[in-house]
Structure formats: structure tokens, C-alpha cells
């Protein structure tokens, strides 16, 4: 399992203008959360966040690598990051209309941790985690 091969996962909920990220330990504990704008400066900020909270072997779990997460995925691949794509969760309406971007970022990390596939090799890769895997 991925959880046995990394020191942590950075889950990211991607949107057009913002990115919500959560650093999660291999056993699923949330280490820290943050957000950043969805542009190069924000990508750099997320990379620094990841290096601080998961300084060893890490993997990135992104939603929407073919859409809102494409820029971040390319940035991370260029920086030598390991990236897995997770499916966006179908979620029920939230009371009061509040968004749950941080919870989605944590869910993305948990979904990646539950997979038995890990991006291999020294080069950057994007792999897709099968839908529903890891949803608890």
C-alpha cells in the first residue's frame, strides 16, 4: 500500500482560483492544512508547505489533474514530485452553504493512502486512483 511507502501525503482540493491542501501522515492523521492561490506563487507555497510537514518520501493526491489541478500537477512533476489523481467526491449539500475544501483535501490524501499503487521510477508521473477506493 502507498501508506507503507511514504512518510506522508499532501492532498489537494483544486479550484479555479484557490487550492486547499492537507498534509497527512501514513496512518491518516492530519498534520497541517493550508490554502494557496492557484498560480505559480501558490504552487511554490504548497511545495514549501509539503517540504516542511512531510520532509521525506511524499506523494501528492490531486483532484482534477486534467482541469483545475493541471497547472499544479505539471509544476509538481517538473519539481520531481510523485502525483496520483483522485476522483472528486460526490458530496451532499452542506448546511448553511459552507464549503468543505479542507475536508476534501484530507479525503484526497486518505484516498491515495488506501491505494496499493504508487507512482514508480525517478521521473514524475500522474496515476489515477480508482473511483471510490479509500472512501470510508
Amino acid at each position: 500500500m502507498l501508506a507503507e511507502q511514504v512518510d506522508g501525503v499532501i492532498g489537494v482540493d483544486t479550484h479555479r482560483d484557490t487550492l486547499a491542501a492537507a498534509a497527512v501522515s501514513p496512518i491518516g492523521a492530519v498534520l497541517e492544512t493550508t490554502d494557496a492561490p492557484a498560480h505559480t506563487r501558490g504552487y511554490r507555497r504548497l511545495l514549501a508547505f509539503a517540504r516542511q510537514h512531510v520532509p521525506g518520501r511524499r506523494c501528492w493526491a490531486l483532484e482534477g489533474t486534467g482541469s483545475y489541478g493541471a497547472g499544479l500537477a505539471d509544476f509538481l512533476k517538473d519539481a520531481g514530485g510523485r502525483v496520483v489523481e483522485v476522483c472528486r467526491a460526490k458530496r451532499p449539500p452542506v448546511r448553511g452553504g459552507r464549503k468543505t475544501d479542507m475536508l476534501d483535501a484530507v479525503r484526497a490524501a486518505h484516498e491515495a493512502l488506501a491505494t496499493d499503487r504508487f507512482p514508480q521510477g525517478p521521473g514524475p508521473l500522474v496515476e489515477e486512483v480508482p473511483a471510490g477506493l479509500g472512501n470510508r
Side-chain angles (χ1 to χ4, degrees):
M1 289 187 65
L2 177 64
E4 298 166 348
Q5 301 175 44
V6 296
D7 298 317
V9 173
I10 309 299
V12 184
D13 182 31
T14 62
H15 297 279
R16 186 188 72 192
D17 298 321
T18 60
L19 305 165
V24 176
S25 76
I27 60 169
V30 177
L31 304 171
E32 189 62 62
T33 62
T34 192
D35 57 13
H39 53 59
T40 305
R41 246 187 349 253
Y43 303 161
R44 285 190 205 111
R45 200 160 94 197
L46 288 185
L47 187 54
F49 167 82
R51 288 176 174 155
Q52 178 181 0
H53 296 287
V54 185
R57 301 169 302 160
R58 71 181 153 267
C59 180
W60 294 80
L62 306 182
E63 293 182 345
T65 60
S67 58
Y68 291 139
L72 177 60
D74 288 344
F75 175 86
L76 294 171
K77 289 187 299 182
D78 290 345
R82 303 286 178 103
V83 177
V84 293
E85 180 174 21
V86 295
C87 295
R88 289 194 185 276
K90 291 182 181 178
R91 57 184 165 184
V94 179
R95 285 189 190 189
R98 289 179 300 235
K99 300 212 19 101
T100 58
D101 294 344
M102 285 303 169
L103 292 176
D104 285 348
V106 171
R107 182 207 48 82
H110 286 166
E111 193 166 320
L113 284 169
T115 187
D116 60 356
R117 297 179 341 179
F118 183 68
Q120 297 295 322
L125 301 171
V126 173
E127 271 197 34
E128 184 177 345
V129 174
L133 185 63
N135 286 343
R136 297 176 192 154

